[in-house]
Amino acid sequence: MASRTDASQKTDPLEELAHRFAATRRLSLDLVATLSDADASAQSMPDASPAKWHLAHTTWFFETFVLRDHLPGYRLFDSRYPFLFNSYYEAEGPRHARPQRGLLTRPSLEEACIWRAHVDAALQTALPDLPPAALALVELGIHHEQQHQELLLTDLKHLFAQNPLGPAVWEEGAIASEVAQISADSGQGALLWIKGADGVIPVGDAGGGFAFDCEGPRHDALLTPHALASRPVSNGEWREFIADGGYRTPSLWLSDGWAWVQAEDVEVPAYWRDGQMFTLAGWRDIDPAAPVTHISFFEADAFATWAGARLPTEFEWEAAAAPLDPLGGQQLDTAGPVQPRAASGDTDLQQMFGSVWEWTGSAYRPYPGFRAAPGAVGEYNGKFMSGQFVLRGGSCATPRGHCRASYRNFFYPHQRWQFTGVRLAKDL
Amino acid sequence: MASRTDASQKTDPLEELAHRFAATRRLSLDLVATLSDADASAQSMPDASPAKWHLAHTTWFFETFVLRDHLPGYRLFDSRYPFLFNSYYEAEGPRHARPQRGLLTRPSLEEACIWRAHVDAALQTALPDLPPAALALVELGIHHEQQHQELLLTDLKHLFAQNPLGPAVWEEGAIASEVAQISADSGQGALLWIKGADGVIPVGDAGGGFAFDCEGPRHDALLTPHALASRPVSNGEWREFIADGGYRTPSLWLSDGWAWVQAEDVEVPAYWRDGQMFTLAGWRDIDPAAPVTHISFFEADAFATWAGARLPTEFEWEAAAAPLDPLGGQQLDTAGPVQPRAASGDTDLQQMFGSVWEWTGSAYRPYPGFRAAPGAVGEYNGKFMSGQFVLRGGSCATPRGHCRASYRNFFYPHQRWQFTGVRLAKDL
Amino acid sequence: MASRTDASQKTDPLEELAHRFAATRRLSLDLVATLSDADASAQSMPDASPAKWHLAHTTWFFETFVLRDHLPGYRLFDSRYPFLFNSYYEAEGPRHARPQRGLLTRPSLEEACIWRAHVDAALQTALPDLPPAALALVELGIHHEQQHQELLLTDLKHLFAQNPLGPAVWEEGAIASEVAQISADSGQGALLWIKGADGVIPVGDAGGGFAFDCEGPRHDALLTPHALASRPVSNGEWREFIADGGYRTPSLWLSDGWAWVQAEDVEVPAYWRDGQMFTLAGWRDIDPAAPVTHISFFEADAFATWAGARLPTEFEWEAAAAPLDPLGGQQLDTAGPVQPRAASGDTDLQQMFGSVWEWTGSAYRPYPGFRAAPGAVGEYNGKFMSGQFVLRGGSCATPRGHCRASYRNFFYPHQRWQFTGVRLAKDL
Amino acid sequence: MASRTDASQKTDPLEELAHRFAATRRLSLDLVATLSDADASAQSMPDASPAKWHLAHTTWFFETFVLRDHLPGYRLFDSRYPFLFNSYYEAEGPRHARPQRGLLTRPSLEEACIWRAHVDAALQTALPDLPPAALALVELGIHHEQQHQELLLTDLKHLFAQNPLGPAVWEEGAIASEVAQISADSGQGALLWIKGADGVIPVGDAGGGFAFDCEGPRHDALLTPHALASRPVSNGEWREFIADGGYRTPSLWLSDGWAWVQAEDVEVPAYWRDGQMFTLAGWRDIDPAAPVTHISFFEADAFATWAGARLPTEFEWEAAAAPLDPLGGQQLDTAGPVQPRAASGDTDLQQMFGSVWEWTGSAYRPYPGFRAAPGAVGEYNGKFMSGQFVLRGGSCATPRGHCRASYRNFFYPHQRWQFTGVRLAKDL
């Protein structure tokens, strides 16, 4: 990341914030550059949202919590938009039903972009005079938009995968460097076990930079002796699980997982079909050396049971990741058809950051002493703390700079349209 | 209709067919002229289809049943399209699931239009040499496309009505002549009772022109003494029904209808809200003198019970309509925001053709001696002959020239997104 | 029927009514004689009701419409029962939800029988002094109870069929004369075509005896030249349909029927499994010569299409049945495990009454001039006149004396837990 | 517990096991003594089972895992029963669908009891010669049956509550000592905060007695400074929550909880209506001083948020309970209409054992080093470790002797038909 090496030149925090705001907003537009108005407006399932909606919702966040709340005299660009583009903030009043988002053919993609430009300009103008509380919300809004960039990519992937034509979001030319190259040496490195630290270990956000509320308070965790796999499980290993009847053996599965497998006729990871997998560049061969992705928690857990291992806890993962560079690994730098690639084959911990989100065995619950922030932005994380599991480390679709060792992502155990994978752990 | 007055000049049937083919194909394009790619691609409910899908499906019909089957050496424009754009023809193989049509953001609206142009050119070129069986299929395809023109309009209306912004398919300027002008004299003509013929009456297609298979065979029907209302029930009369508790009185309703009212919380016709109604030109005041529309069979039947009347049978309607001009009345001539207008106030039967489809009390079942045509086009009508009711007379959204006295439309008793209305009947 | 041979002795209509009331009430008790409290209380699907509920609901009918409404000073046996045992009479106020009937373990079967005895005694005592309107309701109540006797049997059959133990409602000894004897001569008579009357034919209730309101008014129907099969379709013929891929050939099916076949994975008639069929006496071999039963309208229609025939209209059936004895055939005389038997092999119309209800091609709609009776009993028939098809002729489970030529039964086209079958018709 | 005071006399472990086996089996029969066959056979929701099913399933457990697996030559009482009465043990083969349990009117309650007697006799006869592994399964079976005794009571309560007659499982006489006496002093003791231990604390089964696999391995947990409420939240306090709009304030609720409140129209705890609550003795007044019960995790969590507190973790609870007598408190000793009563008003921790199960904030997940037992009984606990939350301490319906400090019960966060309550905790 250039922004690190030349940090000495970006001494003005306000300028730096303005720069990151602009860069983040620009990347969102880059991500939709190849889309038609229809591509950007369709919704393929209630869990997903149209690309246009992501563009608009992130704009709503800045307009509402920064401009409306902190810029005296600011008038909403369109007073009807908050109803349409509020996601789940109860404190902000009623809102459009989530499963109906694909019916909003108006405003158009172009109109949404005009709104974006208006808000961007207003915010950049206002920035120098904003109070610290508003600047913190700009910072929050940048990280919020980065989350939506990843969702935008995974939602697009889901939408395009429903089309029998199997269209690519990005065409051939763009792919070479990113998607599904079969690993040159036809195999990933051997999976090694790396011993982790045990005993009382401090975890959680240590301050000194941006973090979401759910990453704190920092506190001690007690780790038992254990080891982590040196890299995530690969597609080739997953095929062994399939060949061994993994999807047909109830004793490997959690009860809810087995019910899900049967109800949904699950036999392979999402987007696998006939020996190929669907990517943002269309249908591609499966690289046996690349990390398996688009698996649910239930699948990750069943695989671990089959392998005689278990999932790591979120703190085992965090303790191992703490000394590593969160800016490393395969993460999102520019718009394009991202897909996880094989690990390098080194013998230490690989692909902790980027590549695939790693399911942990930890339920997503509050840390000791957690209190949600007051007001609407307090609805950001705390209210989702039931029924979901923590994932760690970011993926190839996570904007570089967004993730860190204390970062907690969370999804329901059956969900698998994100770039989710699994790293094994075992007791020592 | 000009085409009638100068019929003497259109002596060549082939030329006339080519002319009607071109005009029909052009009207479909006119109907989508104001739409964005997103507007044309979204699907608001499983019963409805995207506008783009209608454009493509009607093209598939001509390409499959005329060009593929009757033009030696014809190659499909795109071999993947039949899977996408077959609607329900089992004999034509598997097809894309109906509720997923809104996820086909590719091919784009523009690509669909290119396909249209290709097929149109090929068909026009081939026309002079086509055998009679193929010409009959061109004729069938024209009528088929007219049906889809009406569905395209009603599906668009449904889609745009879901948008909280209440956008218009056609903007203000277009509306003056068509939509929701409050009747100048603030009231429709009085409802009169017109005695119908009774005894044995021949009904069904008498030959001599195009008709769908379900309109025949021509046969005798036995009518009992009865009268028909001179015009459809108006919005003003419907408001009396509402004010009298019509939607809250179970004794007025069929059992299935009452279950529907309760399950769906039905209190007004579709598209009514806060004293206004949604039209293809956006939200408009309700004209009390205009025919009520967007009502289900259940509502029509309950209203008739409330009014001490009943629905006409399909043959009572047909006997009354037989001497009337099927080209008269408010029907679709050009693209625009159609909406039924008040009757003229004459004292004879009014608005039998056009304005609103009239629910009859007749279940949609085969006529004596009916046999579906062999092959795929035989799936056109016969297989729908259970659970639906017959509607007669066409609507303001029916392309002029499409309807006739023997024409049988059919929908399920709860459906009401078509321009459906009701004309009362009573026993004498 | 003894009641016929000694009719001369039953000259007093009141005495005759008292006699029939007692006999009907007794038969209901006979039908549940072998049931446990649990057997009588369970509900196997929303369409079905517990046996105990049938006993109680028919009692509610007499207590409400006769005793409460016509016996001054009568006090309800238990004021909480009307809420529990009203079926669908909106005019009688709110009522227990139908799908919850199986949760009413109290009152017990014994308590329900005590209520029955109480109401029976009160009604018999009151009978001599009841006004004609009340006597008409007693008559209606008898016919109402006979309908519930048939439902009680078919609901029990459905319940017991859900039990993997396959228990019999009636044990072996009872079966010899009724169930599933393989026909001695291993084959039904050949199916012959019997020409029916055509032209204008009077149909509907001619008066002179009890009839439900929906059987009238008597009116003329116009029949086209046709023939009816001499007997219903047999199990052996149905096996040919299956062997010929009948259940896998979409072109044979109505569209709604094909959707039902696919959604429910229908491959055989209800209660068929592994070459056997479930009966009220448990699992039995299938007699190829006996009429097929437990088929839906959709199946009946598909079979007719496969056979190059069609279903009869309800008036074709009625015209043919009018001269026949409605007391003949295999109908319910005493409690026991009824099941349709093979036809005798005569060459005229056989099994028109009894054996199996015959699906007609006629939608259940009102006759010309039909008006439902005022008040609660007016909800009896008219409000069900949408979406259902007419069946004619009664079955082996219909109490003898209940059916007649003008009798109209009706069910939805997918329902098949009644003793439903099919007689073919064809155009001449 | 007599068994404690005279423990010196029960020196033979085998005799003691035989004694407890007999007593446990007898209590199950006592619990159904007042039920009719119908009461015992009905199923009110998929989560619940008929009482008869509980009697049969617990018998299946002993017959299968003890007699079949460890008694050479034992023949199953009825080879069809395992299919019917296996609950969820995949390794034991296919089984009857859970939601269909209420349709098994056969075998009858009496037949189920005959099976019980047969298995009891066989097991008592075999007991002296059984190998240790089989004796361990007898022990497991006893604890298993105790769990089903509690479920039997709560399932019965749910069933009877569905009946509009509001019948009592036990009649008036039985109630005086147990149900819903309004507390004499019209108020519970003040809620006090009791400081808990913090730092590293050993938790989990310490060995030396029976425990389920999920209670181990024993391990260290790290507790932060905190306090627990001296007693569970009372009905009176819950009414304040309701009065303050607790059920209408989204900011108090987890997101999934708020969705549940809206979907189910939740406004009060289960079984509350019109100021009364349904009990096993019928409808009763609500004692404001008694612990609130039949609340979901979602409600417990929302209440804690409203109260400015939080739920305890399962280890905070366990650390506080470890020194207390698990045989104390209001637990199930004999058959009767149990209902939690007000706390005594002492100033230390009250009602930790018995009264109501206490929701904790801990997701039900495996302890470090947990491995499920091999074979079918290994399906007992481990496979349910996703999506559920831990409850601690037993309830008034838990057989005395069944619970202990390390005991982990678990339910989904929306479930509330158990005797569930909530004890608050707070950070210090």
Side-chain angles (χ1 to χ4, degrees), chain C residues 65-66 70 130-138:
Chain C
F65 297 124
V66 179
H70 293 281
L130 288 176
L135 294 178
L137 287 161
V138 173

Side-chain angles (χ1 to χ4, degrees), chain D residues 259-302:
Chain D
W260 171 79
V261 162
Q262 293 185 293
E264 306 287 328
D265 275 334
V266 181
E267 298 181 326
V268 288
Y271 304 131
W272 283 30
R273 196 180 64 200
D274 300 336
Q276 289 202 306
M277 63 182 178
F278 189 74
T279 74
L280 289 161
W283 288 94
R284 300 282 149 178
D285 288 339
I286 296 171
D287 179 359
V292 70
T293 190
H294 299 301
I295 55 166
S296 69
F297 171 86
F298 293 134
E299 289 167 285
D301 185 80

Side-chain angles (χ1 to χ4, degrees), chain D residues 6 19 30 48 105 121 130 211 231 240 273 276 343 361 388 402 407:
Chain D
D6 61 0
H19 176 79
D30 290 349
T105 61
L130 287 177
R231 56 162 177 75
E240 294 174 34
R273 196 180 64 200
Q276 289 202 306
Q388 311 202 41
H402 180 69
Y407 196 99

Side-chain angles (χ1 to χ4, degrees), chain B residues 1-8 325-327:
Chain B
M1 285 286 280
S3 62
R4 282 208 135 191
T5 55
D6 62 1
S8 57
D325 180 6
L327 297 177

Side-chain angles (χ1 to χ4, degrees), chain C residues 55-143:
Chain C
L55 295 184
H57 167 67
T58 49
T59 300
W60 167 82
F61 190 97
F62 285 113
E63 188 180 58
T64 301
F65 297 124
V66 179
L67 297 179
R68 185 199 66 179
D69 288 355
H70 293 281
L71 185 58
Y74 179 79
R75 291 189 52 199
L76 295 180
F77 179 79
D78 189 317
S79 61
R80 305 168 306 173
Y81 284 3
F83 178 83
L84 296 181
F85 299 118
N86 173 7
S87 53
Y88 54 67
Y89 295 81
E90 301 276 352
E92 288 294 319
R95 60 205 170 284
H96 193 233
R98 179 175 188 133
Q100 307 290 309
R101 288 178 185 167
L103 305 186
L104 296 177
T105 62
R106 316 282 181 90
S108 67
L109 174 57
E110 186 182 355
E111 289 169 318
C113 290
I114 291 172
W115 184 28
R116 283 183 72 87
H118 177 89
V119 166
D120 286 359
L123 195 141
Q124 290 283 19
T125 302
L127 205 56
D129 302 319
L130 288 176
L135 294 178
L137 287 161
V138 173
E139 183 74 46
L140 179 61
I142 290 170
H143 292 270

Side-chain angles (χ1 to χ4, degrees), chain A residues 358-389:
Chain A
E358 302 180 15
W359 283 110
T360 73
S362 300
Y364 178 55
R365 292 289 297 153
Y367 287 170
F370 170 77
R371 280 284 179 273
V377 295
E379 299 186 45
Y380 206 98
N381 285 299
K383 74 178 183 182
F384 299 110
M385 290 176 174
S386 72
Q388 311 202 41
F389 282 87

Side-chain angles (χ1 to χ4, degrees), chain C residues 376-420:
Chain C
V377 296
E379 299 187 44
Y380 206 99
N381 286 298
K383 75 179 182 181
F384 299 108
M385 288 174 173
S386 72
Q388 311 203 40
F389 281 87
V390 174
L391 302 103
R392 293 294 195 128
S395 80
C396 57
T398 309
R400 196 179 304 278
H402 181 68
C403 201
R404 60 202 151 261
S406 62
Y407 196 98
R408 309 174 82 195
N409 200 355
F410 46 91
F411 281 94
Y412 288 98
H414 69 282
Q415 293 176 317
R416 56 181 194 163
W417 90 108
Q418 300 303 302
F419 286 95
T420 48

